[in-house]
Amino acid sequence: VQLQAFGGGLVQPGGSLRLSCTASGSFFRINDMTWNRQAPGKQRELVATITRGGTPDYADSVKGRFIVSRDNAKNSVYLQMDSLKPEDAAVYYCNADIMVNRNYEFNYEGQGTLVTVSS
């Protein structure tokens, strides 16, 4: 099982980016999917999570600016980031709780995608 994240880049403050993350390989089901981020010199923090049924939850710092969504048919999770601020700059990682069969669930993490917010 692999997770691959896309969509990072350089954006000006106030701009937007859309991150995508897709799971591939053989598995039974994907449960919760999460976006985390880590800025240089800082601890990793949770940004947003979404249940299989589509219920989202957000860190206070991104509420009202970021939207997490998923497409279960495509094994994918997305993060629409609007009104970006310099403090949003970080490497963004997607995580997923994946059931490899009916009995076992593991957490997988993608390779990270860099978001730079700068004028």
Side-chain angles (χ1 to χ4, degrees):
V1 178
Q2 287 189 325
L3 289 173
Q4 192 163 12
F6 305 91
L10 172 64
V11 63
Q12 292 185 341
S16 298
L17 279 176
R18 186 175 187 250
L19 306 183
S20 302
C21 178
T22 298
S24 61
S26 179
F27 49 85
F28 175 64
R29 187 174 68 201
I30 302 175
N31 291 328
D32 290 358
M33 303 185 84
T34 300
W35 288 98
N36 298 305
R37 68 186 180 188
Q38 188 165 19
K42 294 188 177 181
Q43 288 190 330
R44 189 169 297 194
E45 62 174 348
L46 185 145
V47 176
T49 190
I50 185 166
T51 66
R52 179 171 177 79
T55 300
D57 196 15
Y58 300 93
D60 288 343
S61 59
V62 306
K63 282 180 180 176
R65 300 187 298 120
F66 291 10
I67 297 175
V68 62
S69 61
R70 64 188 289 170
D71 184 333
N72 291 334
K74 295 182 178 179
N75 298 319
S76 295
V77 62
Y78 310 99
L79 187 67
Q80 177 66 40
M81 305 186 294
D82 297 324
S83 302
L84 281 160
K85 304 176 181 180
E87 52 263 42
D88 294 317
V91 177
Y92 283 70
Y93 299 89
C94 66
N95 290 71
D97 294 325
I98 298 178
M99 297 188 70
V100 296
N101 54 44
R102 290 179 182 271
N103 299 312
Y104 293 100
E105 179 185 89
F106 297 97
N107 183 263
Y108 292 87
E109 183 172 271
Q111 84 284 8
T113 184
L114 178 64
V115 173
T116 304
V117 184
S118 175
S119 55

